[in-house]
C-alpha cells in the first residue's frame, strides 16, 4: 500500500492544460487487527478487539511492573514473555485455544493457558511438568503453569 | 474427544459432555467458562505459593517506633488498585493500626510518538501511551513488629502488575548530650560564645 507523491507542473504555453496532484496513500493501522472478511472466520474475544480497546474492553495479556513509572526491567520482561509464548506454543502445538496470560507475582512466573482437549490427559500432564521444569531452569525462578481445557475454541465473532 | 481428565491428584473422574458436571470431591476446582461449551477441566498442578509461617522471636531490646509508614502503590489498572486499597485498609483496621491518609494521586501518562512506517512517510505517525495510576496509604504510630507483620502480609498479597514503595519514618529518642543547651551548663565560659 505504498503511494508516491508526484507533482506535475502545468505547462503554460498558451494552450489549456491542467496540473495533476497525487498524494501518498493514508497508511492504515494494521496492528493486532483482523480485517473484515466473508463471515466464515471464527475469532476469539481477544483476537476480535483491536489494541485501542486495551484497558477499556480488553485486559492485559502480560502483567508485570516493568512498564510502570520509575520501575526497571521492561525489556527483560518483554523478552522473557516472548520466549515463554513461543515455547508454550511449540510444546503444546495446535492445542492452544487463546493467547497466554503471563503474570509475575514476586519471584514466581505464572502462565495461564487455555487449551483444547486434543491430547490425552497423561500427555498433557507430562508436557505441563516438562515446560514448568524447563522454564524454571532457564529463568531461575519458580514457574507455574495453570491450564484449563475446553472442547472447542470460544468464538466471539465471525469476520 | 472426551477423555478421562484427572480432577484431583489421585482420583480420575469421567467428565460427561453435558453441562453441570461436578465431581464429588470438594477440594478440586472446576472453573467453567461462561460461553456455552460442553465441558472444561482444570489441571491440578503443584502449589507454589504455600509458605511456612515465620517463627515468633522474643527479644529484650526495645522495639523500633515508626511515626509514619507510607505505602505508595502503582499500577496500570485502576480497579485493581481500588480493590487492593480496600484490602490494605481492611487489614490495617483488623490489626488496629491507625490509618491517617488514604488518597489517590493523579495519574502519570508517558506518551511517545513513533513513525508508523519502516521507511519514509514522515507525516504518518503512531502514538502510544502508558498510564501509571497511584494510591497512597499512610499509617501512623506503629511499632516495629506491627509494621513488619503488616508489611509482610500486604506485600505477599500484592497483585501482579502492581508495584509498591514503602517509606518508614522512624522515631528515635533524643540523645542525652543535646537534651539541654550548652550555654545553660557553663554560663561563665565566654570562649564558647565567640564561635
Amino acid at each position: 500500500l505504498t503511494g508516491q507523491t508526484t507533482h506535475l507542473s502545468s505547462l503554460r504555453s498558451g494552450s489549456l492544460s491542467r496540473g495533476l496532484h497525487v498524494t501518498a496513500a493514508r497508511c492504515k493501522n494494521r496492528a493486532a487487527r483482523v480485517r473484515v472478511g466473508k463471515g466464515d472466520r471464527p475469532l476469539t474475544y481477544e483476537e476480535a478487539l483491536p489494541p485501542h480497546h486495551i484497558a477499556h474492553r480488553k485486559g492485559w495479556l502480560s502483567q508485570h511492573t516493568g512498564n510502570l513509572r520509575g520501575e526497571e526491567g521492561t525489556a527483560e520482561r518483554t523478552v522473557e514473555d516472548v520466549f515463554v509464548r513461543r515455547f508454550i506454543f511449540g510444546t503444546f502445538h495446535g492445542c492452544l485455544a487463546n493467547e497466554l496470560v503471563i503474570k509475575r507475582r514476586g519471584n514466581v512466573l505464572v502462565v495461564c493457558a487455555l487449551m483444547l482437549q486434543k491430547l490425552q490427559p497423561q500427555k498433557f500432564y507430562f508436557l505441563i511438568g516438562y515446560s514448568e521444569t524447563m522454564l524454571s531452569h532457564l529463568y531461575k525462578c519458580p514457574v507455574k503453569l495453570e491450564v484449563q481445557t475446553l472442547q472447542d475454541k470460544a468464538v466471539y465473532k465471525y469476520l | 474427544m472426551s477423555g478421562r481428565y484427572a480432577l484431583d491428584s489421585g482420583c480420575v473422574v469421567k467428565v460427561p459432555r453435558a453441562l453441570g458436571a461436578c465431581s464429588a470431591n470438594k477440594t478440586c476446582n472446576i472453573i467453567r467458562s461462561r460461553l456455552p461449551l460442553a465441558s472444561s477441566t482444570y489441571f491440578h498442578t503443584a502449589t507454589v505459593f504455600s509458605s511456612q509461617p515465620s517463627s515468633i522471636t522474643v527479644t529484650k531490646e526495645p522495639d523500633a517506633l515508626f511515626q509514619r509508614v507510607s505505602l505508595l502503590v502503582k499500577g496500570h489498572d485502576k480497579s485493581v488498585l481500588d480493590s487492593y486499597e480496600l484490602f490494605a485498609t481492611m487489614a490495617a483496621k483488623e490489626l488496629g493500626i491507625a490509618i491517617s491518609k488514604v488518597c489517590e494521586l493523579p495519574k502519570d501518562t508517558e506518551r511517545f510518538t513513533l513513525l508508523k512506517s519502516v521507511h519514509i512517510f514522515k507525516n504518518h505517525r503512531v502514538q502510544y501511551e502508558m498510564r501509571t495510576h497511584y494510591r497512597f496509604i499512610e499509617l501512623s504510630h506503629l511499632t516495629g513488629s506491627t509494621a513488619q507483620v503488616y508489611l509482610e502480609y500486604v506485600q505477599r498479597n500484592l497483585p501482579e502488575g502492581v508495584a509498591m514503595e514503602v517509606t518508614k519514618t522512624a522515631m528515635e529518642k533524643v540523645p542525652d548530650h543535646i537534651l539541654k543547651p550548652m550555654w545553660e551548663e557553663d554560663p561563665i565560659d565566654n570562649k564558647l560564645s565567640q564561635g
Side-chain angles (χ1 to χ4, degrees), chain A residues 27 29 60 63 65 67-69 71 103-105 117 119 121 124-125 144-145 147-151 154, chain B residues 4-6 31 35 37 39-46 49 74-77 116 132 134 160 162-163:
Chain A
C27 298
N29 289 331
W60 283 269
Q63 290 160 353
T65 58
N67 282 319
L68 295 168
R69 168 75 50 108
E71 301 290 330
K103 305 180 189 180
R104 283 181 180 80
R105 259 176 250 160
Q117 289 165 2
L119 300 173
F124 257 121
Y125 272 107
K144 186 168 176 192
L145 199 55
V147 173
Q148 261 183 268
T149 54
L150 302 169
Q151 285 281 337
Chain B
R4 282 203 260 148
Y5 284 82
I31 302 162
L35 300 162
L37 293 169
S39 67
S40 67
T41 55
Y42 175 72
F43 281 94
H44 185 81
T45 46
F49 291 108
K74 304 185 251 188
H76 286 300
D77 201 353
K116 203 189 268 191
T132 312
Y134 298 99
E160 49 282 328
V162 167

Side-chain angles (χ1 to χ4, degrees), chain B residues 40-184:
Chain B
S40 67
T41 55
Y42 175 72
F43 281 94
H44 185 81
T45 46
T47 49
V48 180
F49 291 108
S50 59
S51 61
Q52 288 159 358
S54 46
S55 55
I56 304 165
T57 49
V58 181
T59 46
K60 282 192 181 173
E61 60 195 39
D63 210 356
L65 296 171
F66 293 112
Q67 192 181 53
R68 223 182 296 140
V69 170
S70 48
L71 286 89
L72 177 68
V73 197
K74 304 185 251 188
H76 286 300
D77 201 353
K78 207 171 155 194
S79 47
V80 168
L81 290 179
D82 279 337
S83 76
Y84 187 72
E85 174 202 318
L86 182 69
F87 162 76
T89 43
M90 226 195 290
K93 267 182 217 165
E94 290 298 315
L95 286 175
I97 302 173
I99 305 168
S100 54
K101 216 205 280 187
V102 174
C103 64
E104 188 185 338
L105 300 170
K107 66 174 188 276
D108 263 335
T109 317
E110 198 183 312
R111 286 196 186 104
F112 39 92
T113 315
L114 304 170
L115 295 174
K116 203 189 268 191
S117 172
V118 165
H119 182 55
I120 53 170
F121 301 116
K122 195 62 176 262
N123 294 336
H124 301 93
R125 314 234 182 167
V126 148
Q127 291 186 314
Y128 296 106
E129 67 172 30
M130 297 193 290
R131 294 182 189 172
T132 312
H133 300 270
Y134 298 99
R135 249 346 117 89
F136 185 71
I137 302 172
E138 198 174 278
L139 315 161
S140 58
H141 301 300
L142 300 173
T143 54
S145 39
T146 320
Q148 195 190 2
V149 165
Y150 178 75
L151 286 174
E152 193 180 326
Y153 178 59
V154 136
Q155 280 163 8
R156 269 189 199 270
N157 291 306
L158 254 186
E160 49 282 328
V162 167
M164 182 156 84
E165 274 173 24
V166 178
T167 319
K168 297 185 204 170
T169 313
M171 290 198 287
E172 276 185 11
K173 197 177 164 208
V174 179
D176 291 329
H177 65 271
I178 59 169
L179 268 178
K180 287 184 186 171
M182 281 177 87
W183 51 84
E184 274 184 23

Side-chain angles (χ1 to χ4, degrees), chain A residues 111-128:
Chain A
V111 181
C112 311
L114 267 178
M115 309 263 182
L116 300 169
Q117 289 165 2
K118 267 184 153 186
L119 300 173
Q120 296 298 314
Q122 293 87 358
K123 293 193 181 178
F124 257 121
Y125 272 107
F126 170 74
L127 286 176
I128 290 170

Side-chain angles (χ1 to χ4, degrees), chain A residues 72-85:
Chain A
E72 299 162 345
T74 311
E76 287 94 31
R77 306 292 151 265
T78 318
V79 169
E80 283 170 21
D81 272 359
V82 172
F83 178 81
V84 166
R85 280 173 209 281

